[in-house]
Structures are given as C-alpha cells and as structure tokens.
Amino acid sequence: MTDDTFVNIDFGGESLRLLPDKAVLWPAAQILMVADTHFGKGEVFRRHGIAVPAGSTASSMERISRLLEKYLVEKVVVLGDFLHGKPSTELIDKIAEWSKTLPAQLVVLRGNHDRHLVDKPSQWQHITMQAELQQQLLTLRHEPATEDPSANKFSGNIICGHIHPVARLGNGRHDRLRMPVFWQQRGTGGEQLVLPSFGNFTGGYRIEPARGTRLYLAGDEQVIAI
Amino acid sequence: MATGSQTSKANTESDGDSLVQLDQVEAWFADRDWKIADFQREVWREYAAGHSGLIHSPTGSGKTLAAWFAPLLSLPRPASGKPPTIKVLWITPLRALAVDTFENLNKPVADLELPFTVGLRTGDTTASERTKQRRRLPSALVTTPESTSLLLSYVETARQFSGLECVVVDEWHELLGSKRGVLLQLALARLRTLAPGLKVWGLSATIGNTQEAADALHGSVPHDPSPKSNTLLPCLVRGESEKINEIRPIIPTEISRFPWSGHMGLKLLPEVIERIDQANTTLLFANTRSQAERWYEALLAARIDWIDKIAIHHGSLNKKLRLKVESMLRAGSLKIVVATSTLDLGVDFSPVEQVIQVGSPKGIARLLQRAGRSGHRPGATSAVLCAPAHALELVEIAAARQAASEGKIEARRPPRLSLDVLVQHVVTMALAGGVDPDALYTEARSTYAFNALTDDAWQWVLDFVIRGGPALQVYPQYQRVMLEDGLLKVTSRRIATQHRMAIGTITADASMKVQFQRGGYLGMVEESFISRLKPGDVFLFTGRPLELLRVRDMAAQVKLATGSKKSIVPRWAGGRMALSGELSDSVLQLLGEADNGQFNGLEMQAVQPLLQLQQRVSALPRMGRLLIERSRSRDGISVFIYPFAGRLVHEGLAALLAYRISQQQKITFTFSANDYGFELLSRDEIPFTEEHFRSLLTPDNLLTDIRASINASEMARRQFRDIARIAGLVMQGYPGSQKTTRQVQASSGLLYDVLVDYDPDNRLPQQAEDEVLSAQFELTRLQQTLQRMTDWEYLLTEPARLTPLAFPLWAELQGSRLSSESWQERVRKMQQRLEEVSGGDW
C-alpha cells in the first residue's frame, strides 16, 4: 500500500506507526495509543460559569471510534488524563455507553487529571484502568521520564503523554503556526516518545529542536517527519 | 440659586443655605492670589441651571476647581450639620492620579470647613475600608471606572447612588478611546437611571473630536420626551489656555548622511546631557519602555555622579517604586526622570523645568501634553525640547510645531459595540440584586457605544450569559446568570466573587512578575516578552541587567547579570505606536515645500542637504504624489513605496500588496515598514509600471484581500486574550484558590478555537477579528489612504543606490516574512534549520 499519510518509526526495537489525528499504532502488539483526551473539559468550564460550547468531548470519542474502524487492534490505550476533572454522572454514563460500542478493549492509564477516578465507576465494566502497561520492552504510562529536550540518558523505553508537545513553524509576526507533534528522544539506555494530546480542547507545550530529538508534525491528514 | 454675581448671598436665605457661598469661594481663591476664570464661573452657572457638560482645553489648569466647586455651590447645606452620603463621584483614569486628586479636592473642603467628606476608592483601598464604604459612602468619592462598576455590583452601594447629584470624569480623553471608556459609559447610563437628574461633567484635553467626546460621555436620553429636556442639553465649555507651547529641536551638530531608524537617538546624548545640566529638573520622555531603559542606562553610564538624582518611571515598574519616584519628583529632589507615557497624565510636578522628548513625537496631542508637564501652573509657559533619533525626525518636529500652531489635533475614536464589555456589564448588573433585561437593553442603547446595538446582538448577549450560547444548543451544567421572575440574577456566590475579581482587570495586559530568586519584587513585564527569552538570557529592566533563571507560577525569576553578556532590551507593545494622520500630513506638506526649494526654520534647514540628496537621486514625496522606488542588491529586488500613513497602515499595505502580487505569480516576499513607507523584497521581478501599482493599490475588495493576506483568524486568535478575559471566558487565578482554578485555565487561543469549531454563532471571535484589523492595521485609515491615493500622481524612480528614505527600511529589514508557499514547503525549510541544529546525528 502506498500511503504517505503516516510515518513508521523504529522505537526500542519495535516498529511503530505514527498516524494522522495524533494516534500511534503498534502493529506487532495490536495496540492503538492516544494520550490526554481530557474528556469533559468543557463541562468543567461550564460548571465554573465559563461559556465553553459542548461538542469537543463527543467529537474526540467519535475520532477514536473511527480510528478503531480503520485499524483492527485488540487494545486501545489512553496514556493518561482520560478525564479533565471531576466527571458528572452524565459524562460517566456517556463514556460507559461509548466504551460498549468499541471493537477493542479500552485501557486507561491513570494520569494526574484522573485523580477523581481512584475507584473505577461501576458502569465502566468495559474499561480497564491501571497505572502503567508493560509490553515487550516498552513501558506505556502517563508521565515522561524527563521533560528536558537535551536529556540523553534513559532507563528503558517509554511511551507517554502529559506535556502536549507542539512545535512552532514560521517566525514572522503575521506568519506563525503552532502544530502538535510527536516528540521522540533517543539517548543511552533507551528512548522516549511523547504523544501529542488527542483532545480538541487542550493546549500545548512548545518543544525546541535539540540534538538527539526528532519531531513529527501531527496534522489531521498527514504526519510529517521534520 | 444664582451664581456668577455678588448677589448670591442675598437669596441664599430663601431656600436654605448652599454648602458653600460664592463669596467664600472668591475669598479662597483670593487667599491664593488666584483669580476665578470666566470659564469657571460659566461652569458654575451652567451646573446651577441643571446642565451637564464637557470642559476642554489644550493644556492648562483650573478645570478641576471649575468642576469641583460647581456641585459644592449648588448642594444644600445639611440641616443636621452632618456630611451627606454620596453626592459627587469623581472618576479618574489612573490610580496614581486618584491620590493626587483626592488631596486637591480635600483641600478647599478642609480650608472652608465644609460638612462634606471626601473618600478614595481604588484597587489599592484596603478591604476594611471598602466594607465601611459599602455601608456608607462618603459625600464625595474619588475612584476609577472599574471601581465604579464594582460599586454598582453591590445592592447596598447601588441603592446609595440614588442620592447622587454629580459625576465628574477627569481626563476623559484618556478613557474615551478604550474599552475602559465603554465600561464607564455603561456605568454612567446605570447611574442616570438610579439618580434621575444626575449631572455629568467631563474634563478633557482638546482633541480633534471634542463634540464626539461629549456625545460619548453624555449618551442620549431616549426615554425623556418632555420638551424641557431640550434645555438640558450638555454644553461644551472651553477652558483657559494661556499657555504658549513651544516646540524646539535639539539639532545634532552633524547630520548623519543616512538616517538610521534602528538606534535609539543616543547620538544626541552629549547634547541632551548638556541641557539636563542647565536645568534643575528635567523630564525625559521616551516613546517606548525599551528606549527609556536604554537612555537611563546611557545617562547613568555617562554621568555616574547623577546616580542619586536620576530615576526611571514606566508602567512595568513596581508600584512602590513608581510612587517613590513621583514623590521625589514633586519634592524637587531629582535632577532627571526618564519616563514613558505613564507620566503623560495630569499629576502636578511643579518642579519640572524642562521636558525633553526623545525620538519621534508620533502625535501632536501627545507632544503638547508632554510639553504641558513643565510649567504646570496657570499662566506659565510650557516648552518641549525634541531630540530626534534620526535626521528625518527633524521634519516631524517642524511638522508638529506647524500643526500645533494651526490647531490640528488628533481625534480619539471611541470603540463601538464592544460586546465583551457589554457581557461583563450585564453580569455586573445582575449581581446587584436582579435587573430587568428590557430596562437594561434600553439603558445600554442610551450609550454612545451601544446606540446601534441590534435586537439580535442583544439577544445573543443574553443567551451567552444565561445559557452560554444560543438557546437551541445544549450547554449542560452551565450556570452564570439566572433568569428568575423576569429578572437577571447571579445566585452562585462563587460566580459572584469570580466576576468581581474580573471587573478590575479590564486593562491588565497579560503580564508577569519579575522577581529575584529570593523573592524581591521588581515589577511586571509582558508575558509575550518573557516567552521569547530562554533561561540565561539577559535583559534590561528597571535600569538593571537581569538574567532570566526560570519562569515559575506566573513569575520570572531573575538574578543580577554579571559579566559582559549582551542584553536584550524588552520590546513592549508601546513601541508600535504609529505616526498620527495629522502629523503625517503635516510632514508631507513640509516635504512639498522642500520640493519647491523652501526650507523654513531650524529643522528644515538642518535637514536640507539630506532632502536635496533624496530629491537628486530619486524624488521627494509630497501631498498628492506617491513615490515608488526600485533598487537591486545582492538580496534581490526591492520596491519601496512611501504613502506616509504611519507604520501600522504600511504593515497592512505591505501584506496586502504581497498577497495581491502572489495571486498573479508565485513569489515570496520579505517586507519591512516604518512611518513613512514600506519595502517589499523579493528574488523575482514584478512589473514596474504605474498601471500595475495602481491596480495593486486599489481600494476595491480591500476587506476580502486583507483578511486573506494577513491570516486574520490566526491574529484574531491572539487578539482574543483581552476579549476572553473581559467577557469572563478566562478565569483570573486569585490567592488561595490555585487548586480549583487551575483546571479551568485555558489559553485564550484554545478557547477561540473551540468557539470557532463548536459555536459558529458566537460573536466574540468576529469581534476579535474586527479589533485586530483596526488595532493592528488601523483599517479605517488604511482604507482612507488607498482611497485618497487613487487621485494621486504616481512617480516611479529607479535610483542607482539606496535613497535617504529607503535606507531605514532596508536597515530594518528583518521584519515579517510573508510567503505564498504552502505549509509543507515551509516545513521543508524548517527541516533545513533543524538539521543544522541537530548536527545531522540521525
């Protein structure tokens, strides 16, 4: 198949595919990964009297469903910050309903925003929650081992989220563009891959290019290595 | 009651005494060897007849006392002898002015032992004092527009305002052009409802649109059809201006052959030092804070003996430091203060003997106001010395003097239909115990800012505060304003507190504390500036070189920089102010005279060789003539165009032309712009004919093309910050609540995206785009510029080398890059950069 919308990378001895729409496919392990969905962020704002329109959470769910239609996998793993804040019962129900429709097992790794999920809601029978996931030689979890772009020592291979990496293109006052990126760092002892945040309503942390760093722009239709 | 004549005493018995008698006032003036001016008596007369009005004068004083004694002469003396509750509200734009004003108002009250209390309420007022005021307001209160709105948000203070007689708005011209002015217009409308018969008086410098300023202040009273109301039309009173303002240049001994716009005017340092030496106290105004920092550093480096007599004053400084500088200035213990616009306003610094303006005056009103900082006494002459930063600024100085003598002064346009402010106001009104939406609508439409408010827009505002969005869309869990029994109310205490916190922050730019690692607080600096720095970078602030250590919890931690690291001077937003239309036109006229061989006055004679060189190798622009130059260099082909319409318009025009050309051919431009014109640089040839440029500079399709050319939505996204804060979409963190607010912190850009994606009917993104066009490119002026150039002669020249007009543009060319290439291609270029950085390790 000649499809140049995605990029294959070598990571910790495994072959990973960086997909458009901010997801990572690990074909050998039958896993699809996304990070930082921040479900329910809009409703947290609305509860505080800030008029944010509804729709971003539903659209994120829809995007995950569509990815799973396209890629047949056993598991879809959310690398933390599944929820943004304390969820309403409506949201818990909505997520439960949605999880039942998914053709793969939904695994949620706890992130710092998920502190309201100490106990898994009883409606979520179809969802597995855990702190991290070890698979072959890779560790999937929420927080990176380092946020330092110049770090060059790692112990093991970590795939994570948490920091919402973005890169800035262009330098003019009228001509600037921020794009979410996959951020790969290679060093001695292992490497680290940080996924861009999946949610539509999430900010970003700007990554400056550095030695040993590789960035992949996560466009909606195309991933481009830079 | 009769005023303005000696008979006042005779008829005061009939209707009970007034608070103060005219003869007492006359005696009080006489004690100070002051004379009551005719305009002051006129104000008292008009006030007594029940009129509102606007007192304006170019500079000069006496306006305060005119407005202050008006209500004092009319108000009845309380029978009980106890001071009445709130009768006069005195609104001032700056907190710093409030203290000064408070003292000035209190003086005659104390001297004449009037049963009248004067109070002060600003963001600095202590919580206990505020609570006391809320229960019982003083007879007169000095406050700011934001505090006024805040007072209106409490049921108990709003109720007290029903006895209000008079509102005085000081320095109205300062508020007029901003959203703070809009907020105040809405508050005044509310006060007129609460206190029928309220008299509103504005004090203003003379501006180009004095009548519009009066209209904006007074609004219209739509629901007072009584024939009597005609006689109550607000009046314009022209204040005294005996002052002769002198604008004089400091002529450099050697005019540099090529003007260079990049430097800061420091070439004139020796001449300026000489002038400072000759006067006791000098105020040196710079155009930007960066220029101020640079001059402060340079003066200190040149004259270390001035170390305890020199100070710097700008808006980013810590308040304590600023107040200290102000009080030292007042006491006459400083020799020189380097300042920016923060000292433009009317605080009285009598010891100031001399005012020096460094760099372009930018506008006539501004220069006159600065000139007025010296000799700040009735009858005294004020003068300003101008030190040009480059040779062509000499023309600007001459032009400013000419325009001032002809009375040409810039207008300040009040913003219209700022829905973000209306949203805030509606919530504020809902806090005060419930308000009828229809009454509020009528009230809003009585203001100048919202007299064109449509039913649709109003309905959107109501939907937005009640439901968060359009009625048909589901906004679950949303609560802000409730509609109960037909009244708008805020029932949640948390929402109320949150909103009151937000009212005060209408002016705050997103700024960040600058502090030492151990906590010593230095001041505030724009976040956008800090975000461009990396740890280890050195910048100048408060006259000290500081090294950025880290940014934490909205504070930039710094240490004193050591060694010889090169410093970056902060570039604050103020630096982008454009040359005003009036001044630009005046410059064009002088260039026209020069074109005819006339060089009148010191400045024009000094700059004569340079202008003649321009004329010889190319041509001089003039009113009615658009000059376009083309030259070639190693960098490519440069086209220079000189409309003389100010930097912002030129930036817009450069982007517009680049876009229009790129519609015809695939081409990439680099451009730069200054107050005189702009340059487009490209590797490729464009047709160099009059016909072609006429088609490029056509006013047709302007709006469509400009939106397409500047990536308006991306800029609007950045502009959205202010709007999001004012409309209550961005929450202000406040002490003790970080934990709960952090979850609801979202960048305004993100909110903008979400609104655009999921709420296409939301009106705030569109407002952001409109604001960006008018703020960033002065859209109206841009339109007028294109329009008038259709009748102009086009003169195309191809000089062999860079001309004096072209040189500063060429030198400054580091500006925006604008490209018509797709983003993938840009990515490819970024890739090259990245390869260099990463050293090809992969």
Side-chain angles (χ1 to χ4, degrees), chain B residues 651-707:
Chain B
E651 283 182 357
L653 284 178
L656 178 73
L657 253 67
Y659 171 75
R660 285 179 172 174
I661 296 169
S662 72
Q663 294 301 97
Q664 299 160 359
Q665 59 189 111
K666 195 167 172 81
I667 190 166
T668 299
F669 287 106
T670 310
F671 72 75
S672 70
N674 65 17
D675 280 328
Y676 307 148
F678 59 96
E679 172 189 4
L680 291 173
L681 170 70
S682 176
R683 294 240 156 248
D684 305 302
E685 208 65 64
I686 58 163
F688 194 65
T689 63
E690 172 173 348
E691 193 196 1
H692 188 233
F693 283 106
R694 282 206 186 269
S695 73
L696 291 174
L697 289 166
T698 172
D700 301 342
N701 289 322
L702 172 63
L703 214 56
T704 324
D705 287 355
I706 199 112
R707 278 180 208 275

Side-chain angles (χ1 to χ4, degrees), chain B residues 9-23:
Chain B
K9 198 167 185 184
N11 61 6
T12 46
E13 300 300 319
S14 60
D15 214 350
D17 267 352
S18 66
L19 200 59
V20 64
Q21 309 299 315
L22 187 62
D23 53 0

Side-chain angles (χ1 to χ4, degrees), chain A residues 46-48 84 173 200 209, chain B residues 494 651 743 758 776 834:
Chain A
R46 288 188 291 276
R47 270 206 300 274
H48 281 79
H84 183 70
R173 200 166 69 82
N200 299 330
Chain B
R494 191 180 61 191
E651 283 182 357
Q743 292 186 64
Y758 300 106
Q776 303 281 324
L834 289 167

Side-chain angles (χ1 to χ4, degrees), chain A residues 43 45-53 59 84-85 168 173 175-176 200-203 209 212 222 226, chain B residues 475-477 479-480 494 498 576 651 718 729 731 743-744 750 754-755 758 776 817 824 826-827 834:
Chain A
E43 74 171 37
F45 275 63
R46 288 188 291 276
R47 270 206 300 274
H48 281 79
I50 298 172
V52 170
S59 121
H84 183 70
R168 190 149 96 185
R173 200 166 69 82
D175 189 25
R176 256 194 283 167
N200 299 330
F201 182 30
T202 49
Q222 194 182 6
I226 56 173
Chain B
Y475 272 63
Q477 302 96 23
Q479 53 156 315
R480 192 169 178 193
R494 191 180 61 191
Q498 226 169 278
R576 296 189 14 88
E651 283 182 357
R718 267 175 270 150
L729 284 168
M731 203 178 311
Q743 292 186 64
V744 284
L750 197 53
V754 172
L755 291 181
Y758 300 106
Q776 303 281 324
R817 291 198 59 240
Q824 271 95 348
R826 267 191 274 160
V827 166
L834 289 167

Side-chain angles (χ1 to χ4, degrees), chain B residues 445-459:
Chain B
R445 297 236 311 179
S446 76
T447 64
Y448 188 78
F450 295 103
N451 64 7
L453 184 68
T454 61
D455 288 356
D456 282 357
W458 173 248
Q459 194 52 52

Side-chain angles (χ1 to χ4, degrees), chain B residues 175-178 207-209 212 411-416 448 582:
Chain B
L175 291 167
L176 177 66
S178 71
I207 51 177
N209 54 335
E212 193 180 23
R412 299 212 184 185
R413 297 288 169 207
R416 312 294 289 268
Y448 188 78
E582 284 73 7

